[in-house]
Amino acid sequence: MRLNGKVALVFGAGPNIGGTIAHFLAREGARVAVSDLNLAVAEKTAAFICDRGFEAAALAGDAVVEADVARLVAETVARYGRIDCIVNMAGKIHWSPVVDMDLAAWTETLLSYPTAGMLTTKHAARAMIAAGTRGSIIHLLSTAAHFGEAAGAAYTAAKAALLNLARSAAMDLAHDGIRVNTITPCAMEHQLWTKMSDELETGYSAPPRRSFYSRDDYLKAIPLERFPRASDLAWAAVFLASDESSFITGADIPVDGGLRFKYPAWTPGDYTGVNIESYAAETSVTEYGEPVRKLRP
Ligand SMILES: NC(=O)c1ccc[n+]([C@@H]2O[C@H](COP(=O)([O-])OP(=O)(O)OC[C@H]3O[C@@H](n4cnc5c(N)ncnc54)[C@H](O)[C@@H]3O)[C@@H](O)[C@H]2O)c1
């Protein structure tokens, strides 16, 4: 019961990441409002949580529409009397190589993630300030916030904007004791691979993305050698929502098995027999661009 007495509002309540985070917040004692564009999705998530004896309510609203966000915050406060935490993951991805980028698709992605981030932060913070609550605001990023990705210009730009929005909001809200942090997952264990798996799976049709990686390539690059589960993200969200993280703000928690911090050229376990030392030994030393001697004859 690490969140006993707290109230959380989740924006984006699908059964993968948002629903799992809502479930874990509720399991730790929070009363949780789950909101989604799609009321049926929010209701399903709330029913899942309530069936297990925890407290949740379903709300419908669009996190990129200011009136909706203001209403969702107000409805949460009206129902539960306060708001201590929000978790936001709302947005719309469009994949496209930059040379083929459709302006409407670009604009939708660019306007969705950072705008939802700003609006949810703004209205949750206003309610927290009005009540004197030292709350916690959490945004879901992606490794896309930190790297370039083929066919991902819109998504990477949007998530990078959300990252710096969160950092700046953390500075704006520090004097009110409100914390703003982010969580960065890499590609998730399930769901993703039903859409973007390797050629061997039946029913697969190649995504129209050049230079895309296979599941096996991706897995080999993760030092902890598995994809993150939604529960891995939910534990990070519980920590950021709780008073255990009361001195952490403006931070990003990577939940990626070490992917972001590994030496980029190192692929754990993938070894052709030529390591960097033997390669160097067979290589000429150069000075001013000219070979001066062979390291090992
Ligand atoms: N699935 C992955 O592999 C992965 C990897 C890295 C990061 N992420 C990030 O995690 C978050 C959740 O991912 P997911 O896979 O669970 O996505 P999902 O598509 O399964 O769920 C997202 C939910 O948000 C809702 N939503 C979308 N736009 C909204 C809006 N404007 N207002 C209200 N609700 C809205 C959708 O209806 C959906 O229920 C996203 O921010 C995504 O970018 C996902």
Side-chain angles (χ1 to χ4, degrees), residues 17 21 25 85-89 136-146 155 159 162-163 166 180-186 188 228-241 250-256 260:
I17 295 173
I21 289 175
L25 296 176
C85 169
I86 64 156
V87 185
N88 161 54
M89 66 211 68
S136 171
I137 292 172
I138 303 164
H139 298 291
L140 260 289
L141 299 177
S142 158
T143 37
H146 307 276
Y155 187 51
K159 287 285 184 173
L162 182 57
L163 168 62
V180 186
N181 294 291
T182 56
I183 296 171
T184 292
C186 60
M188 301 296 294
R229 303 174 185 121
S231 56
D232 295 317
L233 306 184
W235 284 125
V238 165
F239 172 67
L240 289 176
D252 177 56
I253 299 188
V255 184
D256 64 0
R260 180 156 31 124

Side-chain angles (χ1 to χ4, degrees), residues 139-196:
H139 298 291
L140 260 289
L141 299 177
S142 158
T143 37
H146 307 276
F147 298 117
E149 192 173 359
Y155 187 51
T156 57
K159 287 285 184 173
L162 182 57
L163 168 62
N164 265 344
L165 166 94
R167 288 172 170 157
S168 298
M171 303 305 115
D172 281 344
L173 296 169
H175 291 295
D176 299 296
I178 297 168
R179 302 179 295 110
V180 186
N181 294 291
T182 56
I183 296 171
T184 292
C186 60
M188 301 296 294
E189 178 183 69
H190 61 288
Q191 194 187 44
L192 175 74
W193 305 118
T194 61
K195 298 177 192 162
M196 302 190 286

Side-chain angles (χ1 to χ4, degrees), residues 201-289:
E201 284 187 21
T202 50
Y204 171 76
S205 59
R209 299 173 59 188
R210 282 175 282 175
S211 315
F212 198 52
Y213 34 74
S214 72
R215 171 176 55 188
D216 293 350
D217 289 342
Y218 205 114
L219 193 54
K220 272 193 280 184
I222 300 176
L224 289 182
E225 295 180 334
R226 69 166 173 83
F227 293 108
R229 303 174 185 121
S231 56
D232 295 317
L233 306 184
W235 284 125
V238 165
F239 172 67
L240 289 176
S242 78
D243 296 338
E244 295 160 15
S245 57
S246 61
F247 202 54
I248 298 177
T249 196
D252 177 56
I253 299 188
V255 184
D256 64 0
L259 180 65
R260 180 156 31 124
F261 297 117
K262 90 177 172 64
Y263 188 67
W266 175 59
T267 302
D270 194 15
Y271 177 52
T272 60
V274 181
N275 68 21
I276 199 75
E277 284 166 0
S278 53
Y279 177 74
E282 287 159 14
T283 307
S284 298
V285 172
T286 65
E287 288 179 0
Y288 313 108

Side-chain angles (χ1 to χ4, degrees), residues 94-98 101 106 109 144 147-158 209:
H94 288 285
W95 298 107
S96 169
V98 73
M101 187 70 75
W106 163 266
T109 298
F147 298 117
E149 192 173 359
Y155 187 51
T156 57
R209 299 173 59 188

